[in-house]
Amino acid sequence: MIQAIGLTSNPRKEFPPAVDDVSFEALSGRVTALLGAPGAGKSTALKLMLELQQGRGVAYFRGRPLHRIAHPMREVGVLLGDVPGHPARTVRGHLRMLCAAAGLPTRRADEVLEVVGLVSLCEARLNTLSRGMDRRLGLACALLSDPHTLVLDDPAAGLAVREGRWLHGIMRAHADQGGTVLFTTREPKEAARTADRVLTLEGGQLVADQEVADFSRTRLRPRIAVRTPHAARLGALLTKEARTARRSVEIVREGGNRLSVYGSTCAEIGETAFRHGILVHQLADEIGDMGPTSAMPPSAVEGDPESAENAQTSVQEAEGLDQGQDQGPDQALVEGYQAFAEEPREAVAVAEPRTPADGVPESNPAPLVGPGLHAGSAPHTDPGPRAHLGPHPDSAPGAHSEPDTAPSPDAHPEPRPARASEAGPLPMLPPPIAVRSAPSPLRPLRYELRRAGGVGTAYVTAAAVLVTSALMAVLLARIGHTPQPRLLAAWPRELPLPPAAIGAGLLGAIAFGDEFRHPALAADRGTVPRRLGLLVAKLFVAAATALLLAVLAVGCDLEVLYLVYGPELISVPADWLPLGASWVGLVVGCSWAGVLAAGVFRSTSAGLAAVVAVPLLVVPLVQKVLEGSSVRSAVGFPMRLRELVLVQWPFGGERHLEAVARAITQPVGGALLLSLVALLGAYVLTNLRGRVR
């Protein structure tokens, strides 16, 4: 279950908080709807629960706040808006990437795709999916880890009728298996048809917490209560004026001197009574029921076709809603409900009380009509499973564009049966995960490999770097006066960094930049989970990619120079070892700087800017600090270190250590090392600050 206590968002300047002291419960095995007009604070409340937005209050998921749950994806499945995935990633690739993050086998992605009906679109890219298919993919992401709780933000918005019914069926099936479902909606009718309990938000505050039967009866449609000794005459006058004005008004005789008027206002009724000299004892707005219907007369039951037709017409007229003005206290709810009426009815439904055999009219003449009720039936109060349609067939790529031939409930609201079995079987859910893999340090690495290899950005960037490096090497060789090491690295003195280093920095910045731009792990503790394992995995993959790029860049430059100018320009320098170490350190250092800077500043552009800023800003600063006669050389450092520790370096380790020392003492190397230390400290500081918050 979910227990939300005192959820309050931080106010902005002079504006009040979007959510102010909201507390509620969503029980296991039930579907709970969070209802409210746009701007009521529904999405903000969900973000506060999921700790995706700063504020006060706490939300407990089965007794634990989200930051105390080791694996949030296993506890809570989240769908907030569109699927936050890279547009160029495929449907199957996106799910497999999430499987790697959650420690699930890759076959789990195929199981979920089969359930949501996206098998035929598994190789489609995310930016090509329609609204309905995107919602199916979002639900697949939420169900991937077999969570106990589903938190969905307006899941049926913009969907066709059939898609919406299927999605509601998935929610009901999850609740029937003991899970908790909390979803937001702006449509009162959807909440009444789908949920077991309805929570109403207005202005950021919880104004009602009701069972669905009570919600349908008390908050879905206002009415005007009239008490007058001339009830019959006033009802006839109101009927006549409504027909003349072609407005939909329902008038119900509740026995004695009482009337209930739907679709009108106190002002209109009072003016009518005043013009005709009718005494009125009571005239008040009330939060009424769904509207009455006339019971079928005995002649209709006995088989009189005309009477049966008239009774059916009366039922349909009673279901009509007023499209005009409304002055009730819950005007937003009324307007949302009125949007479901296809058009104003021209007739006026007047429901007369039934007269039993003893001749005394009943006080409640007719049953209510609304979500879950139908003419001639008792109000539905069973909080058990609601009725939904069966599973939706797999949608082919072209099937979604076909017009939906199913009758829209917007024109005539369809009654909902009392039990789900009366409407058909519920959609199937993915099989439960009985055995989960043990925590492994390779899980973040598998996720990062699937993230980096699932889109073509890395391949395109590497190809562009290699082509640019080869062309620049040919151009430098043609101009001349370029040292051999710089020629092989395609690094002119006019550029701050060679193309390979800039490309490695860009790939490193994308490693974190894509996480913030397309937060696929938003449900797992924030936009990007700041965990040490994920950072180490990103640094490892970035280093391996940078090393491969450095080797390929030099190799391509050598091949192109050999093809264009012959073997005289491809001679290997005598000090190739320290030069190679410096080259690899430069490229890997740039990639790490891009990773850390993008993680600190939450932007790919900021990560790349930090890489370019090293030779432009930090190097001159380091050179200025190291100027003067007091500068000491690091030559002989390995020998002095060996004398200190009295250890013989194996395999000529002195040369390798001396190459590393020379690379560090160089201005670019020292500046890069200084930048890496500063960025790592900033990343750790932001991580600790986030944990404290």
Side-chain angles (χ1 to χ4, degrees):
M1 63 179 296
I2 303 175
Q3 293 174 304
I5 304 173
L7 298 179
T8 304
S9 61
N10 294 333
R12 295 184 177 180
K13 298 182 180 179
E14 69 276 7
F15 298 100
V19 175
D20 187 10
D21 195 19
V22 173
S23 302
F24 60 87
E25 289 185 355
L27 302 180
S28 301
R30 310 192 73 189
V31 179
T32 305
L34 194 60
L35 174 67
K42 306 183 299 296
S43 300
T44 304
L46 295 188
K47 292 179 180 179
L48 290 173
M49 291 171 51
L50 299 172
E51 301 179 3
L52 300 178
Q53 183 172 328
Q54 297 294 331
R56 299 186 299 274
V58 65
Y60 293 97
F61 298 88
R62 290 200 290 181
R64 294 177 298 171
L66 199 62
H67 63 272
R68 295 293 185 183
I69 301 176
H71 302 284
M73 295 179 65
R74 299 180 182 179
E75 179 65 29
V76 185
V78 178
L79 174 57
L80 303 177
D82 297 335
V83 176
H86 196 286
R89 202 179 303 277
T90 63
V91 171
R92 177 179 289 169
H94 182 76
L95 290 177
R96 288 185 174 181
M97 180 187 69
L98 296 181
C99 286
L104 302 174
T106 55
R107 66 175 181 272
R108 179 66 178 178
D110 297 328
E111 294 174 356
V112 177
L113 284 175
E114 185 176 358
V115 169
V116 300
L118 290 180
V119 175
S120 59
L121 297 176
C122 61
E123 298 302 327
R125 300 187 182 277
L126 300 188
N127 58 352
T128 63
L129 297 179
S130 62
R131 177 70 173 178
M133 298 301 103
D134 184 84
R135 285 295 179 179
R136 286 175 176 264
L137 177 59
L139 195 59
C141 297
L143 296 172
L144 190 65
S145 298
D146 191 19
H148 176 270
T149 303
L150 290 181
V151 178
L152 314 175
D153 187 13
D154 208 358
L159 296 185
V161 176
R162 185 182 304 173
E163 292 283 350
R165 289 176 176 174
W166 173 86
L167 190 143
H168 294 155
I170 287 287
M171 294 161 54
R172 172 56 53 192
H174 184 80
D176 288 349
Q177 292 188 2
T180 304
V181 179
L182 174 65
F183 76 101
T184 66
T185 179
R186 65 183 66 180
E187 304 294 348
K189 190 173 182 181
E190 179 187 0
R193 285 187 170 181
T194 307
D196 299 313
R197 194 168 188 84
V198 181
L199 313 171
T200 305
L201 280 180
E202 288 184 8
Q205 295 182 342
L206 188 67
V207 297
D209 183 354
Q210 301 169 295
E211 295 290 336
V212 66
D214 296 334
F215 169 79
S216 300
R217 177 173 52 85
T218 61
R219 295 193 61 85
L220 206 53
R221 194 179 182 200
R223 65 181 174 184
I224 308 298
V226 184
R227 187 183 295 270
T228 172
H230 309 285
R233 182 186 173 196
L234 180 59
L237 291 174
L238 292 175
T239 300
K240 180 180 178 181
E241 291 184 357
R243 286 175 176 171
T244 303
R246 302 180 67 85
R247 293 187 297 107
S248 177
V249 176
E250 299 176 26
I251 304 170
V252 180
R253 291 282 303 278
E254 294 189 351
N257 59 353
R258 292 180 299 173
L259 291 177
S260 291
V261 183
Y262 299 87
S264 185
T265 62
C266 289
E268 294 175 352
I269 299 174
E271 291 174 0
T272 301
F274 177 78
R275 285 196 305 267
H276 296 85
I278 298 177
L279 177 65
V280 176
H281 292 162
Q282 180 187 11
L283 184 62
D285 285 317
E286 290 186 356
I287 303 298
D289 52 29
M290 290 290 298
T293 59
S294 298
M296 290 187 179
S299 57
V301 180
E302 294 172 359
D304 186 358
E306 183 177 358
S307 299
E309 181 180 356
N310 293 337
Q312 181 66 21
T313 303
S314 178
V315 172
Q316 294 179 357
E317 289 175 350
E319 292 178 354
L321 298 177
D322 183 17
Q323 298 296 316
Q325 56 187 359
D326 180 18
Q327 303 297 330
D330 289 340
Q331 185 172 358
L333 294 178
V334 176
E335 292 175 356
Y337 188 82
Q338 290 174 350
F340 287 95
E342 183 180 13
E343 60 183 3
R345 308 297 198 270
E346 298 181 359
V348 179
V350 181
E352 297 293 340
R354 290 187 300 172
T355 303
D358 55 5
V360 179
E362 296 180 358
S363 59
N364 191 7
L368 305 180
V369 172
L373 304 176
H374 55 85
S377 66
H380 175 64
T381 59
D382 182 14
R386 300 295 188 269
H388 296 276
L389 297 181
H392 190 281
D394 291 350
S395 300
H400 186 72
S401 60
E402 297 178 0
D404 190 0
T405 59
S408 173
D410 298 352
H412 299 285
E414 298 178 358
R416 184 178 59 189
R419 293 180 175 83
S421 59
E422 298 179 10
L426 293 174
M428 296 176 56
L429 291 177
I433 301 176
V435 179
R436 297 182 183 270
S437 59
S440 172
L442 298 180
R443 182 183 302 173
L445 182 60
R446 287 195 293 266
Y447 162 76
E448 181 62 21
L449 289 175
R450 289 195 175 275
R451 186 209 61 79
V455 294
T457 304
Y459 307 107
V460 174
T461 302
V465 166
L466 295 179
V467 172
T468 304
S469 180
L471 294 178
M472 193 170 294
V474 173
L475 182 61
L476 291 177
R478 183 177 181 83
I479 295 175
H481 308 290
T482 302
Q484 183 72 10
R486 284 186 171 268
L487 182 62
L488 296 180
W491 189 3
R493 298 183 183 275
E494 294 76 14
L495 291 181
L497 290 172
I502 296 178
L506 176 60
L507 292 178
I510 290 175
F512 259 134
D514 272 354
E515 298 279 11
F516 291 102
R517 188 176 181 183
H518 310 290
L521 299 180
D524 190 8
R525 295 287 291 110
T527 307
V528 178
R530 295 180 175 276
R531 294 178 177 174
L532 181 61
L534 183 61
L535 175 63
V536 172
K538 289 185 179 297
L539 292 177
F540 180 82
V541 174
T545 305
L547 180 61
L548 181 61
L549 189 61
V551 174
L552 290 178
V554 174
C556 289
D557 294 345
L558 286 173
E559 289 294 333
V560 172
L561 290 175
Y562 175 78
L563 291 176
V564 176
Y565 298 106
E568 60 273 7
L569 293 180
I570 61 172
S571 58
V572 179
D575 54 345
W576 63 271
L577 183 59
L579 290 176
S582 300
W583 171 245
V584 171
L586 174 65
V587 178
V588 173
C590 287
S591 68
W592 283 358
V595 171
L596 294 174
V600 172
F601 299 107
R602 299 172 176 261
S603 172
T604 301
S605 303
L608 184 59
V611 174
V612 180
V614 171
L616 295 180
L617 300 178
V618 184
V619 169
L621 181 62
V622 172
Q623 288 179 341
K624 187 175 182 179
V625 172
L626 296 180
E627 286 179 355
S629 57
S630 61
V631 175
R632 296 289 183 267
S633 175
V635 177
F637 170 74
M639 300 299 297
R640 293 191 293 271
L641 183 61
R642 185 181 62 180
E643 294 175 357
L644 178 63
V645 299
L646 301 177
V647 175
Q648 181 68 31
W649 294 96
F651 307 107
E654 297 88 349
R655 293 183 301 168
H656 302 287
L657 190 58
E658 186 175 2
V660 173
R662 286 182 179 179
I664 294 177
T665 54
Q666 291 177 359
V668 176
L672 188 58
L673 181 61
L674 181 63
S675 299
L676 289 176
V677 173
L679 291 173
L680 183 60
Y683 185 89
V684 173
L685 180 62
T686 55
N687 187 16
L688 294 178
R689 185 181 63 180
R691 290 186 176 181
V692 170
R693 285 183 178 178

